[in-house]
Amino acid sequence: IMENPGDEARSTRSLVLPALVADIACVVFFVALGRRNHAGGVSVGGVAETAWPFLIGTAIGWLLSRGWRHPTAIAPTGITVWVCTVAAGMVLRKATAEGTAASFIAVATLVTALLLLGWRSAVNRWAARVR
């Protein structure tokens, strides 16, 4: 039983910005890794050009899941952010005549799942041990 019910709300609010930054960092890392592995170069402009569709998807996922309520939750926040990141990213890439090959969709789906759900899983495991 919590001593002060407001403690949980304050704790959740303090996690919103770090969680959002973690999601953005995961998407940028995914893009930078892909660009490096496919001779696209890892420049700020190149990463931004490739990342924006996925970052729009990440923002949509945060809005749809109301990620600020449970920023470190795997469900619904993490799964919604992950699915929206990939789905919107691919739709926007297709709309701007960028590549959406089946192999790219598969790799993007797997890698972003590992990153966006992985950090949440690690944080939740750590929090459970601390409690």
Side-chain angles (χ1 to χ4, degrees), residues 53-129:
F54 297 104
L55 291 171
I56 296 290
T58 302
I60 291 168
W62 266 80
L63 292 171
L64 287 178
S65 68
R66 293 184 261 180
W68 53 91
R69 289 185 172 184
H70 303 286
T72 63
I74 291 174
T77 308
I79 291 172
T80 304
V81 169
W82 164 53
V83 170
C84 289
T85 296
V86 175
M90 293 304 167
V91 167
L92 291 169
R93 283 180 63 84
K94 183 76 169 174
T96 58
E98 295 295 325
T100 55
S103 60
F104 176 58
I105 294 170
V107 169
T109 300
L110 292 173
V111 172
T112 57
L114 178 67
L115 295 169
L116 295 169
L117 302 178
W119 78 256
R120 285 178 168 86
S121 179
V123 164
N124 289 325
R125 272 184 271 138
W126 176 80
R129 286 184 187 166

